[in-house]
Structure formats: structure tokens, C-alpha cells
Amino acid sequence: MSTSAFPARTTTAEIELGTALQPKFGPDGLIPCITQDVHTGEVLMFAFMNTESLAHTLRTRMATYWSRSRNKLWVKGEESGNVQHVRELRTDCDQDVLLLKVEQTGAANASCHNGYKSCFYRKLANLDTAEAEGYRLSFTAERLFDPAAVYRKK
Amino acid sequence: MSTSAFPARTTTAEIELGTALQPKFGPDGLIPCITQDVHTGEVLMFAFMNTESLAHTLRTRMATYWSRSRNKLWVKGEESGNVQHVRELRTDCDQDVLLLKVEQTGAANASCHNGYKSCFYRKLANLDTAEAEGYRLSFTAERLFDPAAVYRKK
């Protein structure tokens, strides 16, 4: 266990209604993080941070997650060029979730490795009738880049 | 383990770029869910669903989560009256997160048990200087109801 740069958790009242950031990292050392476009409010992605990611995010103001699949620090955009500049960081009532509001840069303005602006590019097409008909998704966005081309170059 | 009403996961290509909903419930049977105001895009809360919650949500179009603290189905608003009517359900690229777009009803239009519209009612006050100064939060919203009064009546 690395020593956290962040304050220890105190009381429920302090955590929920106080003014000290006391993020709760789970037993795996991770806290969930929702990332939203600061201008449009679109939810771009959902990922995790550990203390190192959060410290790096705050130091550089570039969204930095923890990649569970690669087990390493993940500076968003380091491969694709689609960097996320953090404009606001929020936490929820019990401080076990973070919310970043970011400005994406990079040619494609895409946060998803599949080439979409947001990872949430599909919606349930038949919300009112899905139970009877089956759960069909429809696409809500256009692809902004071809992932094979972008990631191949690096 | 209960039998899932939802399709089994197939291939990465189908999951990421297909049109069948194939949600991934974790080893604990849960999938994270982000809930957003359909009109303003404000992120209201973050919670979890199991297969029963998701099925109930789709059947009733009222956001229904799984309460990990109470270990039971949690129809949002059943105590406070602040029901969330689901207008859209999205999933992310690898279908291990859900995103609900909802219309909140109820006198207070508050999703947070602390009486705020959103659980994300605090932001880091000193984003650019927090590392040196300490991580201070400031409030971004007004309280809409007094939780003690609302929950006491039930």
C-alpha cells in the first residue's frame, strides 16, 4: 500500500457536508470516476482512479486514470492525442465517486477507443417494449476516427 | 445466482459494436449506473443495479437500483417521493456501465438523501493550487429539502 496524499476519512457528517476532500478508495485502492464534457454535459466515459491517478490529475490538470486491464497509470490521450483538460472536479455525498468536467482536445475530440466522442454511443432502442421484444441498441453518434488507423501509428 | 433476464455476453465485436444489449454484471452481480437529468445533463447520482433492478427499471420505467447498504431492491423515490422516470438508457462500449437519462418528479426534485438535486453538490474549490494548499471543497448548490423532515414522516 502506498501512502495516500489525501486526507483520512473522518465522520459521516464531515464527509457528507464538510469542505475537506476525503475520497474513499475501495479495498482495491480504486475510486470510480465519471467524466463529462464541461460544455455540453455529455457523459464521455467512466473509469477508475487510484491515489496516484488522482494526484497526477490534480498536479497536471490532465485526466489520469488507473487502467485495470494494463495495471498502470493511464494519462488519457497519451496514445490517441485526445487529452482531457480538467476544468472541475466534484465528489458525491459520501465521497466514494468522483466527477470530472473536462475539455477534450485532439483532432478527433473522441474519448472512446472505438472512435466515438463518448463511450455511451448506444441507447436502448425500444425502451417501452424491450421486455417483450428483446433488448435492442441503436447508435446515437457517428464515429469520429478509425481506431485501427489511430492506434496503429503509435 | 438468479437466472438473468438479459442475454449472455458473446464476442468483443458484438459487445462493443453490436446492437444487442449484453450488460456485464460483475462478480458481485452488480453493474454501475450513472444517472443524469435528461433536460440539463446534470449528473444526479451514481449507484448500482443487479439483474432484478434493471428488469424492474425497464418494466416500470422508474429507476430502480440495488441498495448495497440495505441489501435490497431500491425503487428510487419510494421513501422521499422523488421518483426518477427513465427517458433513455445507454450503455458504454464494453457494456459494463449503464447511463440513465431521467426526469425527476416529486416536490423537491432532489435525488440526494442530503436534500440536494444532485449528489455531486461540491467541487474542489482550488483546483489549480490544491496540491500545495490542501484539498478544499465548496458547495455548488442549495439544499432543496431538510432530510430529517422528509424521512422522519415515513
Side-chain angles (χ1 to χ4, degrees), chain A residues 91-115:
Chain A
T91 188
D92 72 333
C93 41
D94 50 0
Q95 299 204 39
D96 61 2
V97 185
L98 299 173
L99 172 68
L100 295 184
K101 299 196 183 191
V102 304
E103 196 150 3
Q104 285 195 142
T105 57
N109 185 23
S111 62
C112 182
H113 71 291
N114 283 321

PDB file of all heavy atoms in Angstrom, chain A residues 91-115:
ATOM      1  N   THR A  91     -17.151  15.708  -6.139  1.00  0.00           N
ATOM      2  CA  THR A  91     -17.312  14.416  -5.496  1.00  0.00           C
ATOM      3  C   THR A  91     -18.753  14.296  -5.022  1.00  0.00           C
ATOM      4  O   THR A  91     -19.475  15.292  -4.966  1.00  0.00           O
ATOM      5  CB  THR A  91     -16.300  14.212  -4.346  1.00  0.00           C
ATOM      6  OG1 THR A  91     -16.403  12.855  -3.889  1.00  0.00           O
ATOM      7  CG2 THR A  91     -16.554  15.158  -3.191  1.00  0.00           C
ATOM      8  N   ASP A  92     -19.185  13.081  -4.752  1.00  0.00           N
ATOM      9  CA  ASP A  92     -20.586  12.904  -4.352  1.00  0.00           C
ATOM     10  C   ASP A  92     -20.722  12.946  -2.833  1.00  0.00           C
ATOM     11  O   ASP A  92     -19.731  13.157  -2.113  1.00  0.00           O
ATOM     12  CB  ASP A  92     -21.173  11.614  -4.946  1.00  0.00           C
ATOM     13  CG  ASP A  92     -20.632  10.372  -4.274  1.00  0.00           C
ATOM     14  OD1 ASP A  92     -19.493  10.429  -3.754  1.00  0.00           O
ATOM     15  OD2 ASP A  92     -21.327   9.345  -4.250  1.00  0.00           O
ATOM     16  N   CYS A  93     -21.945  12.781  -2.361  1.00  0.00           N
ATOM     17  CA  CYS A  93     -22.252  12.968  -0.951  1.00  0.00           C
ATOM     18  C   CYS A  93     -21.326  12.169  -0.038  1.00  0.00           C
ATOM     19  O   CYS A  93     -20.767  12.707   0.906  1.00  0.00           O
ATOM     20  CB  CYS A  93     -23.714  12.646  -0.665  1.00  0.00           C
ATOM     21  SG  CYS A  93     -24.365  11.202  -1.529  1.00  0.00           S
ATOM     22  N   ASP A  94     -21.151  10.891  -0.320  1.00  0.00           N
ATOM     23  CA  ASP A  94     -20.302  10.101   0.580  1.00  0.00           C
ATOM     24  C   ASP A  94     -18.854   9.987   0.086  1.00  0.00           C
ATOM     25  O   ASP A  94     -18.068   9.213   0.662  1.00  0.00           O
ATOM     26  CB  ASP A  94     -20.922   8.732   0.909  1.00  0.00           C
ATOM     27  CG  ASP A  94     -21.373   7.991  -0.325  1.00  0.00           C
ATOM     28  OD1 ASP A  94     -21.206   8.521  -1.435  1.00  0.00           O
ATOM     29  OD2 ASP A  94     -21.896   6.875  -0.191  1.00  0.00           O
ATOM     30  N   GLN A  95     -18.538  10.782  -0.910  1.00  0.00           N
ATOM     31  CA  GLN A  95     -17.158  10.882  -1.406  1.00  0.00           C
ATOM     32  C   GLN A  95     -16.552   9.531  -1.786  1.00  0.00           C
ATOM     33  O   GLN A  95     -15.382   9.273  -1.520  1.00  0.00           O
ATOM     34  CB  GLN A  95     -16.256  11.622  -0.395  1.00  0.00           C
ATOM     35  CG  GLN A  95     -16.719  13.048  -0.124  1.00  0.00           C
ATOM     36  CD  GLN A  95     -15.594  13.954   0.377  1.00  0.00           C
ATOM     37  OE1 GLN A  95     -14.469  13.878  -0.077  1.00  0.00           O
ATOM     38  NE2 GLN A  95     -15.917  14.840   1.306  1.00  0.00           N
ATOM     39  N   ASP A  96     -17.382   8.691  -2.427  1.00  0.00           N
ATOM     40  CA  ASP A  96     -16.818   7.456  -2.964  1.00  0.00           C
ATOM     41  C   ASP A  96     -16.923   7.397  -4.487  1.00  0.00           C
ATOM     42  O   ASP A  96     -16.749   6.330  -5.088  1.00  0.00           O
ATOM     43  CB  ASP A  96     -17.414   6.203  -2.304  1.00  0.00           C
ATOM     44  CG  ASP A  96     -18.905   6.076  -2.498  1.00  0.00           C
ATOM     45  OD1 ASP A  96     -19.509   6.938  -3.172  1.00  0.00           O
ATOM     46  OD2 ASP A  96     -19.484   5.104  -1.976  1.00  0.00           O
ATOM     47  N   VAL A  97     -17.229   8.537  -5.106  1.00  0.00           N
ATOM     48  CA  VAL A  97     -17.251   8.673  -6.562  1.00  0.00           C
ATOM     49  C   VAL A  97     -16.707  10.059  -6.900  1.00  0.00           C
ATOM     50  O   VAL A  97     -16.951  11.017  -6.163  1.00  0.00           O
ATOM     51  CB  VAL A  97     -18.692   8.574  -7.119  1.00  0.00           C
ATOM     52  CG1 VAL A  97     -18.680   8.598  -8.647  1.00  0.00           C
ATOM     53  CG2 VAL A  97     -19.414   7.336  -6.620  1.00  0.00           C
ATOM     54  N   LEU A  98     -15.994  10.162  -8.005  1.00  0.00           N
ATOM     55  CA  LEU A  98     -15.529  11.465  -8.498  1.00  0.00           C
ATOM     56  C   LEU A  98     -16.228  11.786  -9.819  1.00  0.00           C
ATOM     57  O   LEU A  98     -16.629  10.881 -10.553  1.00  0.00           O
ATOM     58  CB  LEU A  98     -14.015  11.441  -8.721  1.00  0.00           C
ATOM     59  CG  LEU A  98     -13.149  11.166  -7.487  1.00  0.00           C
ATOM     60  CD1 LEU A  98     -11.683  11.005  -7.901  1.00  0.00           C
ATOM     61  CD2 LEU A  98     -13.307  12.265  -6.440  1.00  0.00           C
ATOM     62  N   LEU A  99     -16.365  13.071 -10.081  1.00  0.00           N
ATOM     63  CA  LEU A  99     -16.932  13.537 -11.350  1.00  0.00           C
ATOM     64  C   LEU A  99     -15.992  14.602 -11.899  1.00  0.00           C
ATOM     65  O   LEU A  99     -15.753  15.618 -11.237  1.00  0.00           O
ATOM     66  CB  LEU A  99     -18.323  14.133 -11.109  1.00  0.00           C
ATOM     67  CG  LEU A  99     -18.995  14.835 -12.290  1.00  0.00           C
ATOM     68  CD1 LEU A  99     -19.364  13.848 -13.392  1.00  0.00           C
ATOM     69  CD2 LEU A  99     -20.269  15.562 -11.820  1.00  0.00           C
ATOM     70  N   LEU A 100     -15.460  14.344 -13.079  1.00  0.00           N
ATOM     71  CA  LEU A 100     -14.600  15.337 -13.733  1.00  0.00           C
ATOM     72  C   LEU A 100     -15.382  16.040 -14.824  1.00  0.00           C
ATOM     73  O   LEU A 100     -16.097  15.399 -15.588  1.00  0.00           O
ATOM     74  CB  LEU A 100     -13.411  14.662 -14.426  1.00  0.00           C
ATOM     75  CG  LEU A 100     -12.376  13.934 -13.604  1.00  0.00           C
ATOM     76  CD1 LEU A 100     -11.249  13.454 -14.523  1.00  0.00           C
ATOM     77  CD2 LEU A 100     -11.824  14.838 -12.511  1.00  0.00           C
ATOM     78  N   LYS A 101     -15.224  17.345 -14.916  1.00  0.00           N
ATOM     79  CA  LYS A 101     -15.718  18.072 -16.078  1.00  0.00           C
ATOM     80  C   LYS A 101     -14.493  18.488 -16.879  1.00  0.00           C
ATOM     81  O   LYS A 101     -13.598  19.157 -16.338  1.00  0.00           O
ATOM     82  CB  LYS A 101     -16.545  19.277 -15.655  1.00  0.00           C
ATOM     83  CG  LYS A 101     -17.776  18.858 -14.835  1.00  0.00           C
ATOM     84  CD  LYS A 101     -18.782  19.959 -14.731  1.00  0.00           C
ATOM     85  CE  LYS A 101     -19.947  19.526 -13.846  1.00  0.00           C
ATOM     86  NZ  LYS A 101     -21.062  20.478 -13.924  1.00  0.00           N
ATOM     87  N   VAL A 102     -14.471  18.058 -18.128  1.00  0.00           N
ATOM     88  CA  VAL A 102     -13.251  18.218 -18.918  1.00  0.00           C
ATOM     89  C   VAL A 102     -13.518  18.866 -20.265  1.00  0.00           C
ATOM     90  O   VAL A 102     -14.630  18.853 -20.783  1.00  0.00           O
ATOM     91  CB  VAL A 102     -12.557  16.850 -19.182  1.00  0.00           C
ATOM     92  CG1 VAL A 102     -12.270  16.122 -17.875  1.00  0.00           C
ATOM     93  CG2 VAL A 102     -13.368  15.986 -20.133  1.00  0.00           C
ATOM     94  N   GLU A 103     -12.441  19.389 -20.798  1.00  0.00           N
ATOM     95  CA  GLU A 103     -12.420  19.895 -22.165  1.00  0.00           C
ATOM     96  C   GLU A 103     -11.513  18.948 -22.928  1.00  0.00           C
ATOM     97  O   GLU A 103     -10.338  18.801 -22.572  1.00  0.00           O
ATOM     98  CB  GLU A 103     -11.842  21.307 -22.139  1.00  0.00           C
ATOM     99  CG  GLU A 103     -12.087  22.094 -23.371  1.00  0.00           C
ATOM    100  CD  GLU A 103     -12.168  23.599 -23.043  1.00  0.00           C
ATOM    101  OE1 GLU A 103     -11.977  23.981 -21.855  1.00  0.00           O
ATOM    102  OE2 GLU A 103     -12.399  24.372 -23.954  1.00  0.00           O
ATOM    103  N   GLN A 104     -12.055  18.306 -23.928  1.00  0.00           N
ATOM    104  CA  GLN A 104     -11.224  17.381 -24.708  1.00  0.00           C
ATOM    105  C   GLN A 104     -10.523  18.116 -25.824  1.00  0.00           C
ATOM    106  O   GLN A 104     -11.121  18.951 -26.494  1.00  0.00           O
ATOM    107  CB  GLN A 104     -12.082  16.269 -25.318  1.00  0.00           C
ATOM    108  CG  GLN A 104     -12.519  15.236 -24.318  1.00  0.00           C
ATOM    109  CD  GLN A 104     -13.050  13.956 -24.965  1.00  0.00           C
ATOM    110  OE1 GLN A 104     -12.798  12.883 -24.467  1.00  0.00           O
ATOM    111  NE2 GLN A 104     -13.786  14.067 -26.046  1.00  0.00           N
ATOM    112  N   THR A 105      -9.263  17.776 -26.033  1.00  0.00           N
ATOM    113  CA  THR A 105      -8.566  18.320 -27.195  1.00  0.00           C
ATOM    114  C   THR A 105      -8.149  17.166 -28.084  1.00  0.00           C
ATOM    115  O   THR A 105      -8.452  16.011 -27.794  1.00  0.00           O
ATOM    116  CB  THR A 105      -7.321  19.112 -26.780  1.00  0.00           C
ATOM    117  OG1 THR A 105      -6.473  18.251 -26.030  1.00  0.00           O
ATOM    118  CG2 THR A 105      -7.694  20.315 -25.956  1.00  0.00           C
ATOM    119  N   GLY A 106      -7.460  17.438 -29.117  1.00  0.00           N
ATOM    120  CA  GLY A 106      -7.063  16.392 -30.056  1.00  0.00           C
ATOM    121  C   GLY A 106      -7.944  16.495 -31.278  1.00  0.00           C
ATOM    122  O   GLY A 106      -9.071  16.960 -31.210  1.00  0.00           O
ATOM    123  N   ALA A 107      -7.420  16.034 -32.382  1.00  0.00           N
ATOM    124  CA  ALA A 107      -8.101  16.189 -33.669  1.00  0.00           C
ATOM    125  C   ALA A 107      -9.527  15.665 -33.620  1.00  0.00           C
ATOM    126  O   ALA A 107     -10.465  16.304 -34.101  1.00  0.00           O
ATOM    127  CB  ALA A 107      -7.311  15.449 -34.738  1.00  0.00           C
ATOM    128  N   ALA A 108      -9.701  14.520 -33.005  1.00  0.00           N
ATOM    129  CA  ALA A 108     -10.998  13.857 -33.123  1.00  0.00           C
ATOM    130  C   ALA A 108     -11.964  14.202 -31.996  1.00  0.00           C
ATOM    131  O   ALA A 108     -13.158  13.964 -32.123  1.00  0.00           O
ATOM    132  CB  ALA A 108     -10.795  12.353 -33.169  1.00  0.00           C
ATOM    133  N   ASN A 109     -11.484  14.746 -30.890  1.00  0.00           N
ATOM    134  CA  ASN A 109     -12.350  15.009 -29.743  1.00  0.00           C
ATOM    135  C   ASN A 109     -13.126  13.750 -29.356  1.00  0.00           C
ATOM    136  O   ASN A 109     -14.317  13.784 -29.110  1.00  0.00           O
ATOM    137  CB  ASN A 109     -13.307  16.174 -30.053  1.00  0.00           C
ATOM    138  CG  ASN A 109     -14.155  16.572 -28.848  1.00  0.00           C
ATOM    139  OD1 ASN A 109     -13.786  16.311 -27.704  1.00  0.00           O
ATOM    140  ND2 ASN A 109     -15.304  17.172 -29.106  1.00  0.00           N
ATOM    141  N   ALA A 110     -12.430  12.639 -29.361  1.00  0.00           N
ATOM    142  CA  ALA A 110     -13.073  11.355 -29.077  1.00  0.00           C
ATOM    143  C   ALA A 110     -12.474  10.752 -27.822  1.00  0.00           C
ATOM    144  O   ALA A 110     -11.249  10.670 -27.698  1.00  0.00           O
ATOM    145  CB  ALA A 110     -12.879  10.400 -30.247  1.00  0.00           C
ATOM    146  N   SER A 111     -13.317  10.348 -26.882  1.00  0.00           N
ATOM    147  CA  SER A 111     -12.769   9.733 -25.678  1.00  0.00           C
ATOM    148  C   SER A 111     -12.787   8.217 -25.761  1.00  0.00           C
ATOM    149  O   SER A 111     -12.134   7.552 -24.981  1.00  0.00           O
ATOM    150  CB  SER A 111     -13.517  10.199 -24.431  1.00  0.00           C
ATOM    151  OG  SER A 111     -14.857   9.810 -24.493  1.00  0.00           O
ATOM    152  N   CYS A 112     -13.564   7.673 -26.686  1.00  0.00           N
ATOM    153  CA  CYS A 112     -13.718   6.212 -26.720  1.00  0.00           C
ATOM    154  C   CYS A 112     -12.722   5.583 -27.687  1.00  0.00           C
ATOM    155  O   CYS A 112     -12.520   6.078 -28.795  1.00  0.00           O
ATOM    156  CB  CYS A 112     -15.141   5.839 -27.119  1.00  0.00           C
ATOM    157  SG  CYS A 112     -15.381   4.053 -27.127  1.00  0.00           S
ATOM    158  N   HIS A 113     -12.155   4.465 -27.260  1.00  0.00           N
ATOM    159  CA  HIS A 113     -11.177   3.762 -28.099  1.00  0.00           C
ATOM    160  C   HIS A 113     -11.815   3.217 -29.377  1.00  0.00           C
ATOM    161  O   HIS A 113     -11.119   2.852 -30.317  1.00  0.00           O
ATOM    162  CB  HIS A 113     -10.515   2.622 -27.318  1.00  0.00           C
ATOM    163  CG  HIS A 113     -11.421   1.458 -27.054  1.00  0.00           C
ATOM    164  ND1 HIS A 113     -12.507   1.534 -26.175  1.00  0.00           N
ATOM    165  CD2 HIS A 113     -11.449   0.201 -27.552  1.00  0.00           C
ATOM    166  CE1 HIS A 113     -13.111   0.360 -26.153  1.00  0.00           C
ATOM    167  NE2 HIS A 113     -12.504  -0.450 -26.971  1.00  0.00           N
ATOM    168  N   ASN A 114     -13.152   3.205 -29.418  1.00  0.00           N
ATOM    169  CA  ASN A 114     -13.824   2.772 -30.643  1.00  0.00           C
ATOM    170  C   ASN A 114     -14.039   3.915 -31.634  1.00  0.00           C
ATOM    171  O   ASN A 114     -14.669   3.718 -32.678  1.00  0.00           O
ATOM    172  CB  ASN A 114     -15.158   2.095 -30.318  1.00  0.00           C
ATOM    173  CG  ASN A 114     -14.961   0.677 -29.813  1.00  0.00           C
ATOM    174  OD1 ASN A 114     -14.108  -0.053 -30.301  1.00  0.00           O
ATOM    175  ND2 ASN A 114     -15.736   0.283 -28.813  1.00  0.00           N
ATOM    176  N   GLY A 115     -13.581   5.104 -31.277  1.00  0.00           N
ATOM    177  CA  GLY A 115     -13.635   6.209 -32.228  1.00  0.00           C
ATOM    178  C   GLY A 115     -14.831   7.132 -32.072  1.00  0.00           C
ATOM    179  O   GLY A 115     -15.089   7.964 -32.941  1.00  0.00           O
TER     180      GLY A 115
END
